[in-house]
Amino acid sequence: MVAPDGIGVLLRTIREGADRTREQQGRLIGQAHGRPFDEANLKRWETEKRFPVPHWHPTIAAVYEITVEQVRAAVATSQRYRKAQNKENDVKRRNFGLAVAAAGASVLPGIARAREGIDGALAGSAQGELDYLQAAFERHRGGYRGRSPDAVLAEMHQDLDLLGHALARPHPVRERADLARTAAGIAGLVAIVQHDRGDQVDAHHWFTTAARAARESGDRHMSAWVLARQAMVPLNYGAPAAAAKIAAQARREAGRAPSAAGALAAAVTARSLAALGDRRGATAALEDLRTLAERLDGQATADTWFGYPEQKHHVHLSQAYTLLGNTKAAYQAQDQALALTDSPSVMTRALLAMDTATCLRTDKDPNAAADMAAGVFTRLPGPYREGLVRTRATSLQHSLTGRPRDRLAQALT
């Protein structure tokens, strides 16, 4: 749904007032920007399937003869409107779930046993079991949603057992491929959680399992996603060269068509090269990333561990620009990411704060850097003080000296 006073309405109104088609408007944008512009991007902006990122704001202002501030204000209005709509939908889903639970509580206890007897007497496929596992995959892929990593793993435990039993039995070829794809996705989700917890070895094992399942399924998009996510383990734990190599594999697997996996692989490539000090390579990867991100829509932009939404895009930009020492661009990416981050996203907010603290150190304010990092870390709930957040804070601490270093070290003990 398009915001009444947002960026989509603004762009469409001005274009139609000038009696121009999207194709004509797209040519004007491309000329002003100095490179060809895909009119499909303009359609996504006008329908608010995507919002124009800050990189495009000056060009839009020039072509539409408005100010950059007007563009930013319209985008911010659309972002607020989308968040409000998402919250309203969440309330509706919760209310529906409560109604279903209340109805289920009144069912006679013997009904379940009767169904089991009937089901056991029937000879058929395990399609019901496969459907449940696919639904479990959809349920778990939504991310933390305010829960700790340990809580997410606990919720997944029973489904992992069922998945193991299902894989051990024979299935028709098509069912086996679907099951393998589901196994790849669920194993990849466990790997992500273990990565965030700091268990690099177990994360590696789960990603290996996920990659094997993805290959068996024959789904190249799933294989690309697993590889892109796997590359984040060495990236975030001190081995950027290894991360760049895996990310390159992911990009080859993803192919040329725009996809969330391809965008994620480009983001990991940019961050890896930035960490290696390859400014030219990182800048080129960032340009590729912008092009890919602009072309995504639909499920590819879903706010899940399998999507590449605008919020996630700015989180990756924050880290890339922080590593490059481009603090102006990094601060801007952090502001954009925070504006799009739901309040329960404890880990994301903490990681963005660590990026901000690192930028403060780059800008020659080590005391502010240490105070900010220490304050964020000490306020974190216990389950979030290990793994990725601690690694990022420790890296900052090692780059400090004197009192700021001691201040942060004390918070980390």
Side-chain angles (χ1 to χ4, degrees):
M1 187 175 292
V2 177
D5 302 313
I7 187 66
V9 170
L10 177 66
L11 298 183
R12 189 181 70 251
T13 301
I14 295 176
R15 175 179 63 78
E16 291 177 349
D19 196 26
R20 286 193 288 266
T21 65
R22 285 200 183 106
E23 184 179 4
Q24 292 169 333
Q25 193 75 12
R27 282 198 296 269
L28 291 177
I29 294 173
Q31 291 167 5
H33 201 64
R35 68 178 188 185
F37 178 79
D38 186 353
E39 66 178 274
N41 286 334
L42 179 56
K43 181 178 180 181
R44 296 183 188 104
W45 291 348
E46 290 187 355
T47 58
E48 296 191 355
K49 294 291 174 50
R50 295 282 292 174
F51 299 138
V53 296
H55 176 71
W56 286 101
H57 292 183
T59 301
I60 292 171
V63 172
Y64 287 79
E65 298 182 350
I66 55 179
T67 65
V68 173
E69 288 70 23
Q70 286 175 293
V71 177
R72 289 174 180 165
V75 170
T77 297
S78 295
Q79 289 169 343
R80 288 193 298 269
Y81 184 78
R82 177 177 292 180
K83 289 181 72 173
Q85 292 297 309
N86 289 340
K87 288 179 180 178
E88 182 179 334
N89 290 336
D90 285 342
V91 170
K92 290 179 180 178
R93 284 193 291 269
R94 283 196 295 270
N95 289 341
F96 177 74
L98 290 172
V100 170
S106 64
V107 176
L108 294 174
I111 292 293
R113 288 195 295 272
R115 186 204 59 78
E116 290 172 1
I118 295 170
D119 193 54
L122 294 172
S125 75
Q127 188 60 52
E129 186 177 64
L130 301 185
D131 289 344
Y132 169 80
L133 286 169
Q134 288 173 350
F137 173 39
E138 292 297 320
R139 185 171 68 252
H140 295 310
R141 70 191 288 175
Y144 290 115
R145 305 301 188 199
R147 300 167 298 168
S148 71
D150 289 351
V152 172
L153 286 180
E155 290 183 14
M156 296 180 72
H157 191 273
Q158 186 175 1
D159 294 333
L160 292 171
D161 287 341
L162 178 60
L163 178 60
H165 291 310
L167 286 166
R169 293 193 299 274
H171 300 280
V173 173
R174 181 174 295 179
E175 285 185 5
R176 179 69 186 187
D178 289 343
L179 179 60
R181 183 184 185 280
T182 300
I186 291 178
L189 298 181
V190 177
I192 291 171
V193 178
Q194 292 295 65
H195 157 270
D196 292 348
R197 293 179 68 251
D199 194 336
Q200 299 175 55
V201 174
D202 202 47
H204 172 75
H205 290 328
W206 278 102
F207 273 125
T208 300
T209 297
R212 185 180 298 121
R215 286 194 299 271
E216 182 178 327
S217 75
D219 187 331
R220 293 193 63 179
H221 178 76
M222 177 62 76
S223 293
W225 176 81
V226 170
L227 286 168
R229 278 289 183 175
Q230 183 177 3
M232 293 181 69
V233 179
L235 169 64
N236 286 321
Y237 291 104
K245 183 177 179 180
I246 300 173
Q249 291 179 262
R251 296 189 73 180
R252 289 193 295 270
E253 195 72 16
R256 299 178 63 86
S259 66
L264 177 61
V268 176
T269 298
R271 289 173 55 185
S272 301
L273 295 178
L276 289 167
D278 183 355
R279 298 187 67 85
R280 176 179 291 184
T283 301
L286 284 170
E287 189 62 29
D288 289 344
L289 174 59
R290 288 192 189 93
T291 301
L292 279 170
E294 285 288 337
R295 298 171 64 192
L296 297 180
D297 57 16
Q299 283 299 307
T301 63
D303 187 13
T304 70
W305 273 325
F306 276 79
Y308 192 84
E310 188 176 0
Q311 180 260 8
K312 188 178 295 182
H313 177 62
H314 290 296
V315 170
H316 285 293
L317 290 181
S318 168
Q319 175 64 184
Y321 284 126
T322 297
L323 291 168
L324 286 171
N326 185 346
T327 58
K328 181 179 179 181
Y331 289 138
Q332 187 177 46
Q334 289 151 25
D335 289 342
Q336 290 286 329
L338 287 171
L340 295 167
T341 299
D342 292 336
S343 55
S345 300
V346 178
M347 184 174 294
T348 297
R349 290 180 178 276
L351 292 173
L352 287 169
M354 292 301 168
D355 281 353
T356 301
T358 302
C359 288
L360 290 171
R361 189 264 303 162
T362 301
D363 288 340
K364 311 299 184 185
D365 195 348
N367 287 310
D371 288 344
M372 181 172 191
V376 168
F377 191 84
T378 54
R379 288 193 299 270
L380 282 174
Y384 294 93
R385 293 187 185 183
E386 300 301 327
L388 188 54
V389 178
R390 177 178 287 275
T391 298
R392 199 71 62 82
T394 301
S395 177
L396 173 60
Q397 181 221 341
H398 290 162
S399 70
L400 299 170
T401 59
R403 193 203 72 82
R405 182 188 181 102
D406 293 341
R407 167 84 172 93
L408 185 50
Q410 183 180 10
L412 291 170
T413 55

